[in-house]
Amino acid sequence: MRAEAAASLETGSPPVPTHVAIIMDGNGRWATKNGVSRSKGHRKGADAVKEAIHGAIDNGVSYLTLYAFSSENWNRPPDEVRDLMGLLRMYLKREIRTLSKEGVKLQVIGRRDTLSEDIQDLIKHAETETRHNTRLTLLVALSYGAREEIAEACKAIASRVAEGSLNVADISERTVEEALYTASIPHPDLIIRTSGEKRLSNFLMWQAAYAEFSFLPVLWPDFTRQSFSDAVIDFQTRDRRYGARP
């Protein structure tokens, strides 16, 4: 837990979420609303990523996960996928120095093997360059699907059983946790979805078991650090009982 969050607990003030995850939705609708191409909508959405990062830092959040490209997004028109991959390349090349300067550690979760080799290399470089940063851990979900993540975890556990290093009777929630892409990362306290839609869309389904949700009517390209702060303030009004009675 970050010092800011620990201090809030000691003083009796509302706790800050340790981990915030965002489903970044609405680039296409923003483009239609503003009479521009979907490509421009995605580029404007990339600016909102910076706002989210600054919002997380401003509020003392330790982990921020962004749902950047789902496993289902591969089914979009080839031109749109190509634009998104180009935008990803540009971000990985241009923003890493800024992330390092701001103390942000980058990690990517998802099926990297489905990405082109040059993007995989850029990801490795970015993770290496930022690995010692401690101000904020930024997880970017790329070619990510929660069902696939859970299925891959099951395969890994089954392999351990088959080789004799794990007994079936010893399989627990922790066993599954350790086989997920987010092993060692705390579960999200707050999940934000923009554009007014109210669904998870195959995002962090295991990890979201006790997350609070904030569904914002704002389209992702219009998301600001103030939007982030407003969601955190709303989170601080929630009574989180984790299934227990008061």
Side-chain angles (χ1 to χ4, degrees), residues 20 36 50 82 91 98 101 109 115 119 125 128 130 136-137 173 177 194 201 206 210 224 228 230 237 242:
V20 175
V36 298
K50 299 177 185 178
R82 184 168 57 250
Y91 187 87
T98 300
K101 184 177 179 181
I109 60 174
L115 301 169
I119 290 179
H125 173 73
T128 299
T130 63
L136 172 71
T137 296
E173 289 186 15
E177 294 272 352
T194 57
S201 294
W206 175 282
Y210 282 101
T224 65
F228 193 104
D230 290 345
T237 68
Y242 300 96

Side-chain angles (χ1 to χ4, degrees), residues 9 40 89 104 127 147 164 193 220 226 228:
L9 292 175
K40 187 166 184 178
R89 287 186 181 91
V104 178
E127 289 180 329
R147 289 178 175 177
R193 180 167 187 150
W220 176 248
Q226 185 59 53
F228 193 104

Side-chain angles (χ1 to χ4, degrees), residues 25 29 193-198 215-219:
D25 192 18
R29 274 165 283 178
R193 180 167 187 150
T194 57
S195 86
E197 300 292 349
K198 298 178 180 179
F215 299 109
L216 305 181
V218 63
L219 298 173

